[in-house]
Amino acid sequence: MGLFRRKICNYNESETKSIQDVQDKGERSMTLEELRTEVPELENYLRYMPKELESRYFIRVYPPGTIIHQKDFKLDYFGIIARGEHRVINEFQNGNIYMIEKNEPVDFVGEVTILAGMEKTSVTIETLTETVVIYFTRRDFEEWIKQDIHFLRLVAGKVAYKLYRSSYNRGARLFYPPQFILLDYILKYAAAAGIEKHGKIIVARTRQQLYEECGITVKTLNRTIKKLEEDGVLSLERGKISMTREEYRRAREMIHHYISY
């Protein structure tokens, strides 16, 4: 699945593009005050924002499946993701895609690149649901964090949390067998989907998406799914992975057996 087949919407294309240019094109679909009312969690982040920035921003609303932050692009804007889920991915020259993480709001666009003092972005961000982003110029963001230690701590805390999460799990895909990796993924998916309440879930992921998110090749995935189905911890319905409440409970009891499979 190539990134460039998806819709790409990136504001780092031109060094000279101004906030006013963007606003004049009608891309500011709502005001910051309206968004603050709609997303109360934003208040903690914007509490001490410099007054001059109240007129120096723009807001974009993206549909699912949109690239809003492209790897190796020059970064001219910083964004606050106020609403919507997204995934952070790394695409390599051989066409393979590695999903680094999924994130929920409130989150940021470009903070790692800016805090690291780098010119170009290191990852790609793709929306999973409708996503609302507040943009400021890179220069305005850099001035903002010089003045607002509260905001700087929130940004740094978010970066540190992601690094902690990544460090804690780093190496799992190298040293755990595919049965454990896939079953662990499905168990987490089922729990998030409320399997105990609903009694059954369907994993709404294609084999390609599972490959990107679990790091298991499609060929190995098919063998792994067959093995787990034979073990009675999941089922297949029209090619999709499904799991009942009983299978979920059985899988939770059995998963440690797959660690050294």
Side-chain angles (χ1 to χ4, degrees):
M1 182 166 59
L3 281 176
F4 296 100
R5 297 195 191 103
R6 303 178 216 151
K7 181 179 178 183
I8 297 176
C9 190
N10 197 308
Y11 280 110
N12 301 324
E13 298 167 355
S14 170
E15 187 175 2
T16 59
K17 194 172 190 177
S18 69
I19 295 291
Q20 190 60 49
D21 290 335
V22 176
Q23 292 176 350
D24 289 345
K25 290 183 179 181
E27 294 178 346
R28 180 177 173 179
S29 57
M30 65 183 77
T31 68
L32 192 55
E33 286 307 311
E34 289 171 339
L35 196 53
R36 276 174 142 163
T37 301
E38 186 178 327
V39 185
E41 296 82 3
L42 278 175
E43 191 57 38
N44 191 34
Y45 295 83
L46 305 178
R47 184 176 302 157
Y48 305 112
M49 183 180 76
K51 288 291 183 182
E52 60 269 23
L53 296 190
E54 292 180 0
S55 60
R56 300 218 300 253
Y57 70 90
F58 63 94
I59 296 174
R60 281 301 313 267
V61 180
Y62 300 103
T66 302
I67 298 298
I68 63 173
H69 185 77
Q70 183 72 52
K71 181 181 178 179
D72 285 330
F73 271 55
K74 187 176 184 294
L75 184 70
D76 295 321
Y77 293 91
F78 163 79
I80 300 176
I81 299 177
R83 190 176 66 215
E85 298 178 5
H86 63 277
R87 67 174 188 162
V88 181
I89 56 181
N90 204 343
E91 187 180 48
F92 300 95
Q93 291 183 354
N94 61 7
N96 288 321
I97 296 173
Y98 178 85
M99 193 191 81
I100 300 171
E101 61 192 13
K102 287 183 181 178
N103 294 314
E104 300 176 348
V106 173
D107 204 7
F108 307 109
V109 176
E111 80 284 9
V112 172
T113 299
I114 297 173
L115 292 176
M118 304 303 289
E119 182 182 41
K120 293 184 178 181
T121 56
S122 61
V123 296
T124 293
I125 297 176
E126 179 184 24
T127 61
L128 296 173
T129 62
E130 183 178 85
T131 299
V132 179
V133 186
I134 312 163
Y135 285 103
F136 303 87
T137 66
R138 176 172 182 156
R139 180 175 297 179
D140 280 343
F141 170 71
E142 289 171 338
E143 290 301 315
W144 182 359
I145 58 177
K146 288 179 184 177
Q147 303 173 41
D148 185 353
I149 189 65
H150 174 74
F151 182 57
L152 176 59
R153 288 188 67 177
L154 290 174
V155 174
K158 182 74 73 170
V159 172
Y161 171 73
K162 293 176 184 178
L163 179 60
Y164 177 89
R165 182 174 60 185
S166 174
S167 300
Y168 190 85
N169 295 307
R170 188 174 298 277
R173 299 182 186 185
L174 294 176
F175 298 108
Y176 283 142
Q179 290 87 353
F180 175 83
I181 294 171
L182 181 60
L183 190 56
D184 182 61
Y185 174 91
I186 294 171
L187 284 172
K188 290 175 180 175
Y189 183 100
I195 190 169
E196 288 288 2
K197 176 181 178 182
H198 301 294
K200 181 180 179 180
I201 60 98
I202 301 290
V203 179
R205 296 287 188 274
T206 64
R207 297 294 191 271
Q208 179 67 29
Q209 288 171 324
L210 288 172
Y211 158 57
E212 293 173 12
E213 298 185 21
C214 297
I216 305 171
T217 66
V218 173
K219 186 176 180 180
T220 302
L221 265 173
N222 289 331
R223 291 200 303 264
T224 303
I225 292 168
K226 183 179 180 181
K227 170 61 179 171
L228 294 176
E229 184 182 21
E230 291 172 353
D231 289 348
V233 294
L234 58 77
S235 302
L236 283 176
E237 292 189 19
R238 297 181 180 179
K240 292 285 188 182
I241 297 171
S242 67
M243 181 176 274
T244 64
R245 186 186 294 115
E246 291 72 25
E247 289 170 336
Y248 173 75
R249 292 173 178 173
R250 187 181 305 124
R252 289 185 62 184
E253 293 176 359
M254 291 179 60
I255 188 168
H256 68 279
H257 294 300
Y258 295 104
I259 292 178
S260 58
Y261 183 83

